[in-house]
Amino acid sequence: MDVDATSSPNIYLQDLVSFGRGLLRQGLVVQDSTVKNSSLPVDTFAILLIDNSVVYKNAGDIRVLDRSHLHPGQVVGSASDIAGQIGIVTSVSTLLDLAERDNRGTATGVIRGVSPSNLRRVRSLNLGDFVVSGPWLGRVVELSIDVDVLFDDGAVCRVTDAKSKMLLRLDAEHKDYRIQMNCDLYPGLSVTGRNPCSLFKAARWLNGYWNPGRKVGTVIKVETSGVLVYWIASMHCGTNKELVEASAPPAYQHPHDLTFFCAARICSWGVADHCFFRAPSSTKTDDDNGDVSTAHDQEEEEEDEEEEENNHPCFENNEDVIDDEHEGLIAHVVPHMKQNNGILHSNQLRKVFFEGHRRGRRPQVRRHVEVEFPMTVASTRTSVDVLWQDGTLQHGIPSATLVPFSLMNEQEFFPGQHVVENDTSVDTNGHHDGATRRVGVVRSLDCKDQTVCVSWFKKGMRPGKAKDVECIDTMSAYDLKSSYSPYYGDIVVRLVQSESTNDGGSTALNIKKKKKNATDDLSWVGHVVDLPDGHVQVKWGDGSMSTVSPHEIVVVNEDHYMDLWTEMGDWVEDDGMDDAAQQPPAANTDNNLQNPAKCSDVENDDPTAMTTSLLGSAVLSLFRLTGDMVARGKGYLKNLQPPPSSLLPAATENIAAAVTSKPVDLKCHDIAKDGMKATDATSSSDESFSFPRFDVLQITPEDHHYLDHSDQGGSRVKNWAKAVQKEWKILENDLPETIYVRAFEDRMDLLRVVMVGASGTPYHHGLFFFDLQLPSSYPAEPPQVYYHSYGLRLNPNLYESGTVCLSLLNTFDGEGTELWSSMTSTVLQVVVSIQGLVLNDQPYYNEAGYETLVGKPEGHRNSLPYSENAYLLSLRTILHVLRRPPQGFEEFVKDHFRQQGRFVLRTCDACLRGCIVGDAHATEAMKEHPCSAGLKLAVANMLPILVAAFTEIGAQRCEEFQKSYALSTAHSYVHHINISN
């Protein structure tokens, strides 16, 4: 019987899909090498089948059966309404169908409806597992296994650390498996070695002796023998990395000294996973000689057990269930044996007793070797509980009717989350006043209106006491920030105060002495299961449940185990670890990966963190003392002939054209009546600016980001000065009207750029400043660019740190003409690209891979709120620029907003009257919808501050807004509901 499938518009990694009838025609979607972003739906499908083989299917040939990879804390949406509200998974329930196999590896039947709690993994620990040792919590980042191998003549050997010694399965070239959930070696599998003679000769022989003729054997036992643990938290130190490292046990641990807490979130049972059904009887070994103990004679019990198996209500001994055509059934993994040498034994698990004998030099004692064959997960059925953004809790939703939703904006909030007010006020010095921020908990969110219902707590509440609600407000989602707090599915540690010892030490540092008494204590580590009234309900590792305050616990960061392994790699080698860790397979099973297209490598290299160079200061002083000599650079510029048109690449012209092409208007009939469209604001002014688009100043401003960076004048390439002068000439002749550049005589390697946001974009009217440095190898290498962000992230390519992600700067992936070319690329191309390609009308799609979402419901759902938030951040940037204009542009900033300030206010007023932030790809039906209520609320709070700022600099014709939007009315648009005590 097939699992009912629900139509889903997208297929995601680890989805259980079907492409026909029968268990052999369904499998798990695994990572395909052509997919770069695992957060996005894939279009080509590699499917892992029950026999560990991989097939490829087209989208039209498959349907979704189940999504067992969903986990508590994961964000999901409805498959039938991807553009609608999203929710948080609060709990998951999964039942498995297990395929039972005989001694040849052939599937003989299916046991249905098995709970994961009744299963045991092939190896005791897997990669990424959370383990406990005394008061410490760690992650398994590497492990070694010992494998017992049985040969046809009954001899048995043990291969220690089997993976590093290259014990291989015979069918390895044609099989795949999920490394986080499985070991590729399991009982019943035929194995050999790259050099079997050498491998088995060095093994420990448990039964018989080494024989060079034994080259292929059968795995009968797999045991974890060693574990490398990355310690991440403790009950005394929390997650403080330094304290944990100072007091934690050694990284190398024996599995017997560890207590399993839970698997990583990315580990869920799926098709082709191997497992044991119920706990088997232990197999004892003789410590003296290492011989396998003789199994008890169970011939009298076998008939009763076989009869019980056949009559078991869950067991189906019907091969039609496996596959109607019975083609290519699961490969034989056990060597051929005579019927009288292999006796089947089953009691909801499969065991085989192999008969063998010792070599002639020992007594001919026949021995039975008990082999427990693992079962294989054939199918899954998962249902989940979801807490939706509107506050409703829905139980028992079939997982196939939901889709994982990892492409979220910052304005997505969920019930139970703690939030703080997003400080929109800026004082006269351009700083935020964070002292007045309120803290509250989300009750619900309207994803269409971008409004959030928040319960605000009374100020001055003491930790540990019940939080009294002062009032309930309907807020704009753009005026809130998430306050980091425990949430559904989080792993948390209960903090315990360290007790002083007689010698002045602390329990945290001396707890190793009590390790044996506390090894199995799991009462201090648990999972968040609910968030009642601002508190946290935790199910602890010992099974108990309690409600705690957020300050009593600390959330454990769930980094990928490979990241942890890489971090500890250096000192692992110092400790003598020579064996390489298992590399992750092509199948990336993490559905909750952060987006890899966010240029994280560049983000970590924060330019603001660079230290001041003493050499740079010395060179700067030298330049200033000899300014008359360096000033010749301007003279060289005057003597240069205009560059030929071939120096300007065609791409630059195309980018420049893109800046002004297809503007998207903010539609408002009231503005049209005044004879002024919002998109004409930048080009319309009462008088022309007297600020030249390009000029060379004598002294570099002191606030230039690269001022203290050495210009490395002595190491510059030949003709460097000539290349710079050529750039100056290009900029002087060809800059667009909305970009202004300043060069400097005392530092020819530095530039400062300001650009006006293009019409029809969320950045319209705004001023955006960039500092550039031309490296000593220029033009072989692109310039370095720093963005003056004022701590705001208003574009995927512009980070708060000032980093600019752009292919042309080699800070972002690209190919061909997208990358910097020493022959054709110019500074002009860089600045025009930033204005036209970065500060565009749909910044949401700047993220790598997101262009595939253009025109799709999930893309439109996120793009419009992102643009609305980008517009608000642009307004906040205006306030910052007015308060703290970069040096050398003070008068330019004032002149710009004196003339354009009224158009900024008119755009805000148009928003309050129902205009939308444009979308060039929006349909006419979409354009009919006004901007969200949340944007109106946020603009209503922002507009009075803007009016005051523009009035202060004497902006033209702002009087019409002063009465309507006085500061006293800043919060008049916010609906307050007072709560009586």
Side-chain angles (χ1 to χ4, degrees), residues 88 433 490 823:
I88 288 286
D433 182 12
D490 284 345
M823 300 299 295

Side-chain angles (χ1 to χ4, degrees), residues 970-981:
H971 297 282
S972 62
Y973 290 87
V974 182
H975 177 59
H976 294 275
I977 305 174
N978 293 325
I979 302 298
S980 57
N981 294 331

Side-chain angles (χ1 to χ4, degrees), residues 111 132 207 352 389 414 439 500 644 664 681 714 753 792 812 828 918 920 931 937 960:
I111 302 178
V132 171
N207 189 21
V352 174
Q389 286 180 313
F414 300 93
V439 179
S500 299
V664 183
V753 179
L792 304 176
F812 198 73
L828 176 63
C931 63
L937 289 173
E960 57 184 290

Side-chain angles (χ1 to χ4, degrees), residues 94-141:
T94 300
L95 294 177
L96 311 175
D97 294 343
L98 304 180
E100 193 172 23
R101 309 192 300 181
D102 60 16
N103 65 319
R104 297 180 182 272
T106 303
T108 59
V110 175
I111 302 178
R112 297 192 178 277
V114 178
S115 170
S117 61
N118 293 330
L119 303 182
R120 181 172 58 87
R121 298 184 293 188
V122 171
R123 58 186 180 191
S124 58
L125 294 173
N126 280 339
L127 294 172
D129 283 353
F130 288 82
V131 293
V132 171
S133 177
W136 292 280
L137 176 68
R139 298 285 302 279
V140 174
V141 297

Side-chain angles (χ1 to χ4, degrees), residues 703-904:
D703 64 340
H704 196 287
H705 180 73
Y706 297 106
L707 179 64
D708 293 332
H709 292 210
S710 172
D711 69 346
Q712 300 176 347
S715 61
R716 289 171 179 162
V717 297
K718 184 179 180 181
N719 297 326
W720 179 89
K722 186 175 181 180
V724 173
Q725 293 159 9
K726 183 170 67 174
E727 292 287 359
W728 287 5
K729 190 64 175 180
I730 295 174
L731 293 170
E732 183 179 40
N733 293 335
D734 299 303
L735 273 175
E737 294 183 357
T738 53
I739 298 179
Y740 302 83
V741 178
R742 290 295 175 265
F744 310 100
E745 292 180 351
D746 63 339
R747 288 291 297 271
M748 292 177 63
D749 60 321
L750 303 183
L751 297 166
R752 171 159 285 177
V753 179
V754 62
M755 59 188 64
V756 182
S759 299
T761 72
Y763 313 104
H764 193 197
H765 307 300
L767 295 178
F768 306 93
F769 286 85
F770 300 85
D771 288 343
L772 284 71
Q773 182 179 36
L774 305 182
S776 59
S777 58
Y778 189 85
E781 297 293 332
Q784 298 183 62
V785 182
Y786 173 82
Y787 167 58
H788 288 262
S789 69
Y790 298 96
L792 304 176
R793 180 79 181 275
L794 47 69
N795 189 282
N797 299 79
L798 304 177
Y799 287 83
E800 298 96 324
S801 64
T803 298
V804 178
C805 275
L806 192 66
S807 301
L808 197 58
L809 301 176
N810 293 346
T811 56
F812 198 73
D813 293 336
E815 56 185 17
T817 57
E818 297 175 350
L819 299 175
W820 178 265
S821 169
S822 61
M823 300 299 295
T824 59
S825 300
T826 64
V827 173
L828 176 63
Q829 185 182 358
V830 170
V831 297
V832 173
S833 295
I834 293 175
Q835 186 188 52
L837 301 181
V838 175
L839 300 174
N840 60 29
D841 61 323
Q842 295 185 96
Y844 176 76
Y845 298 113
N846 284 11
E847 288 284 9
Y850 283 23
E851 66 275 2
T852 61
L853 300 177
V854 174
K856 293 185 178 180
E858 56 267 48
H860 179 68
R861 180 192 188 280
N862 285 344
S863 178
L864 292 181
Y866 193 98
S867 293
E868 289 186 345
N869 188 55
Y871 172 65
L872 291 170
L873 293 177
S874 296
L875 297 180
R876 295 177 62 187
T877 301
I878 290 175
L879 294 173
H880 281 287
V881 170
L882 284 170
R883 297 293 186 264
R884 290 184 296 162
Q887 293 180 17
F889 287 83
E890 294 87 348
E891 289 304 317
F892 170 81
V893 169
K894 290 182 179 179
D895 287 341
H896 174 79
F897 288 114
R898 283 188 188 122
Q899 299 183 53
Q900 304 299 326
R902 68 180 185 275
F903 300 117
V904 175

Side-chain angles (χ1 to χ4, degrees), residues 135-368:
W136 292 280
L137 176 68
R139 298 285 302 279
V140 174
V141 297
E142 188 176 352
L143 47 79
S144 61
I145 57 172
D146 294 347
V147 177
D148 292 355
V149 180
L150 171 71
F151 296 91
D152 289 346
D153 59 359
V156 178
C157 72
R158 175 167 297 168
V159 180
T160 59
D161 198 8
K163 293 301 295 181
S164 66
K165 295 179 179 178
M166 302 303 294
L167 180 66
L168 307 173
R169 51 190 294 169
L170 289 180
D171 58 356
E173 295 182 359
H174 308 287
K175 302 298 179 180
D176 196 2
Y177 70 102
R178 299 190 301 155
I179 191 172
Q180 291 92 338
M181 284 297 296
N182 291 279
C183 175
D184 62 338
L185 302 177
Y186 51 86
L189 190 69
S190 296
V191 293
T192 185
R194 179 169 295 179
N195 185 347
C197 183
S198 175
L199 172 67
F200 294 131
K201 182 178 181 180
R204 177 187 176 192
W205 287 86
L206 307 179
N207 189 21
Y209 297 92
W210 172 73
N211 186 324
R214 301 187 183 112
K215 297 183 178 180
V216 177
T218 301
V219 175
I220 61 173
K221 184 179 180 182
V222 176
E223 186 176 46
T224 305
S225 57
V227 181
L228 182 64
V229 180
Y230 184 104
W231 301 106
I232 56 177
S234 79
M235 68 168 68
H236 300 287
C237 307
T239 56
N240 186 298
K241 186 175 181 179
E242 294 182 356
L243 293 179
V244 171
E245 289 181 352
S247 59
Y252 294 104
Q253 293 285 319
H254 192 281
H256 294 165
D257 297 328
L258 301 173
T259 302
F260 173 79
F261 170 61
C262 70
R265 292 190 184 189
I266 61 175
C267 296
S268 59
W269 289 107
V271 169
D273 289 344
H274 301 288
C275 60
F276 296 112
F277 186 31
R278 294 186 177 179
S281 57
S282 59
T283 302
K284 298 180 180 179
T285 55
D286 189 337
D287 294 336
D288 294 333
N289 54 27
D291 293 339
V292 179
S293 318
T294 303
H296 292 291
D297 187 4
Q298 300 184 11
E299 293 181 358
E300 296 181 358
E301 300 178 5
E302 288 168 1
E303 295 182 0
D304 295 337
E305 291 172 347
E306 290 177 0
E307 181 179 356
E308 178 184 353
E309 172 188 318
N310 295 330
N311 295 330
H312 196 283
C314 292
F315 182 77
E316 299 181 15
N317 191 17
N318 185 348
E319 294 184 356
D320 291 338
V321 175
I322 306 297
D323 186 74
D324 290 340
E325 301 178 5
H326 203 68
E327 294 180 354
L329 212 50
I330 298 177
H332 293 189
V333 295
V334 179
H336 292 279
M337 301 184 64
K338 296 181 180 180
Q339 183 63 34
N340 60 355
N341 287 339
I343 305 173
L344 301 183
H345 170 77
S346 177
N347 183 11
Q348 278 76 60
L349 54 85
R350 178 66 62 190
K351 294 181 181 178
V352 174
F353 296 90
F354 291 97
E355 295 183 355
H357 62 277
R358 294 186 180 276
R359 297 181 62 179
R361 285 179 291 179
R362 289 197 177 189
Q364 299 291 330
V365 179
R366 298 178 62 85
R367 294 180 179 268
H368 299 272

